[in-house]
Amino acid sequence: MWFLIFIIFIAIICSIVAFIRIRKNKYVKFIMENSIAIKNLIDNNNKYNFYNSSKNFNERHVYDNENFYEGISCEDYLIYQLQYKKYDVEKEINNFNYNKEKYKSYCKEISEISEFGKYVEENNKLNKNYLLKIEKELFNQMVLKPATNFKIHVVLCCSKINGVVYRNKKQDFSSEQITLLIKRLNNKNRDFYNDKEIWNALCRVERGRVSNKMRFSIYQRDGYRCCRCGRSEESDYLEIDHIKPIAKGGKSTYNNLQTLCRRCNKNKGDTY
Ligand SMILES: [Zn+2]
């Protein structure tokens, strides 16, 4: 008995929901076909061809070495990445600036649309107030909100060797800040950066690309022996050396890394 009442109750609720939805759909259909305000809005939306970004320039990196994590700032990391991404980033900033400029006049034109409640064809069976309510709702949903503020979010994390992150730092960079960094990066003669701070930041990040994981795989590759004198010592006496030093443009790649004992590394210094 109670079960039957429950079923009937559910059925009534469902019918009410269905009825409301069908009624609303009827109003929406009428508005989309007849509202003059919405037609004006669509014309405006088509006229302004706003840039729609689908790219993600945010940066995230996990260091498994606390010294590198401490020594490298979010700005250092961004400068390093901008070496490779600056052209795409500049293009993106220009697109956002285009949006920003156009958005002002778009907003002005949209705010001047006032033909709410005016329809190409009238339908007296529809409730005027409800019609107006739905029309404004739809209008607000259809107003474009283009992206106008470009920024890059940088996150640096510090993890244990097993990958578990236990610290992180974050910083946002505005398009103005990024443009300035690119300008400083571009200030160079051939391979020589005129801005010493930029060069130091690049070196810090390059050095930091040798993770602990990478370090141990280099030791393993070299058989836990110094590549110069062949000494095999406790691994805390061995060091990782950049064959072509970072200060001379060397990279932290497997081919440019070798195992040296502390003494040989000291003698080699920054020579290549
Ligand atoms: Zn040695």
Side-chain angles (χ1 to χ4, degrees):
M1 179 62 186
W2 283 112
F3 182 69
L4 198 63
I5 291 175
F6 178 71
I7 292 290
I8 291 170
F9 177 72
I10 293 292
I12 290 172
I13 296 285
C14 288
S15 334
I16 291 172
V17 169
F19 174 77
I20 291 173
R21 195 170 291 164
I22 290 167
R23 179 171 181 251
K24 188 172 177 182
N25 284 346
K26 204 163 84 182
Y27 279 73
V28 168
K29 188 165 177 282
F30 175 80
I31 289 163
M32 293 309 290
E33 285 168 359
N34 292 291
S35 160
I36 292 172
I38 298 269
K39 273 195 204 323
N40 288 342
L41 177 62
I42 292 172
D43 285 349
N44 262 304
N45 286 358
N46 291 337
K47 193 169 82 185
Y48 286 87
N49 201 1
F50 285 118
Y51 172 70
N52 235 329
S53 178
S54 56
K55 297 180 193 122
N56 180 8
F57 289 97
N58 294 335
E59 295 290 345
R60 183 176 185 274
H61 187 81
V62 181
Y63 287 98
D64 64 5
N65 180 316
E66 200 171 302
N67 288 336
F68 289 142
Y69 170 79
E70 289 293 347
I72 294 165
S73 68
C74 292
E75 186 179 274
D76 292 344
Y77 193 80
L78 179 62
I79 290 168
Y80 188 90
Q81 294 302 327
L82 284 175
Q83 290 180 97
Y84 309 107
K85 298 177 182 169
K86 61 185 177 185
Y87 297 110
D88 288 336
V89 169
E90 274 179 329
K91 227 188 270 173
E92 189 79 347
I93 289 176
N94 285 338
N95 287 331
F96 272 65
N97 285 342
Y98 168 87
N99 275 3
K100 200 187 247 176
E101 213 174 277
K102 296 281 166 188
Y103 187 53
K104 278 181 215 152
S105 49
Y106 173 78
C107 287
K108 190 170 173 287
E109 288 186 33
I110 294 301
S111 71
E112 283 164 1
I113 295 176
S114 60
E115 293 87 353
F116 295 98
K118 290 184 185 159
Y119 307 108
V120 178
E121 272 178 39
E122 293 294 332
N123 184 343
N124 293 327
K125 283 180 202 157
L126 301 177
N127 178 305
K128 284 259 168 338
N129 287 335
Y130 188 57
L131 204 55
L132 203 60
K133 183 177 166 262
I134 301 284
E135 187 183 18
K136 288 200 170 155
E137 219 175 87
L138 283 174
F139 187 90
N140 289 334
Q141 280 168 17
M142 289 167 69
V143 168
L144 298 178
K145 289 166 192 79
T148 53
N149 279 320
F150 179 76
K151 65 170 188 187
I152 296 181
H153 185 63
V154 180
V155 183
L156 298 183
C157 304
C158 189
S159 79
K160 296 172 189 158
I161 194 90
N162 62 9
V164 176
V165 170
Y166 63 97
R167 288 167 74 189
N168 66 66
K169 50 190 173 191
K170 303 167 186 174
Q171 199 177 339
D172 281 337
F173 295 87
S174 67
S175 56
E176 289 80 11
Q177 289 171 306
I178 296 161
T179 305
L180 189 66
L181 289 178
I182 292 176
K183 203 173 150 197
R184 290 171 63 195
L185 255 176
N186 287 340
N187 178 16
K188 64 182 211 175
N189 300 323
R190 287 171 185 263
D191 291 337
F192 182 79
Y193 289 84
N194 293 317
D195 193 322
K196 196 150 192 298
E197 275 176 53
I198 290 284
W199 175 239
N200 288 340
L202 292 175
C203 290
R204 279 194 290 273
V205 178
E206 191 63 56
R207 209 166 286 126
R209 292 182 70 211
V210 184
S211 64
N212 280 339
K213 220 173 174 179
M214 197 168 176
R215 172 183 302 269
F216 287 111
S217 68
I218 299 283
Y219 288 158
Q220 209 162 35
R221 182 195 67 191
D222 296 343
Y224 288 91
R225 277 172 194 281
C226 172
C227 291
R228 282 215 161 168
C229 68
R231 254 161 33 133
S232 168
E233 297 279 352
E234 296 294 315
S235 65
D236 64 340
Y237 198 72
L238 295 174
E239 292 175 348
I240 293 290
D241 169 62
H242 286 78
I243 298 170
K244 181 181 183 185
I246 285 179
K248 294 198 163 78
K251 301 284 177 202
S252 296
T253 52
Y254 274 90
N255 292 339
N256 192 43
L257 295 172
Q258 63 178 351
T259 307
L260 288 187
C261 69
R262 198 170 292 169
R263 198 181 346 166
C264 288
N265 201 11
K266 206 173 169 194
N267 287 340
K268 179 176 176 275
D270 258 359
T271 57
Y272 175 28

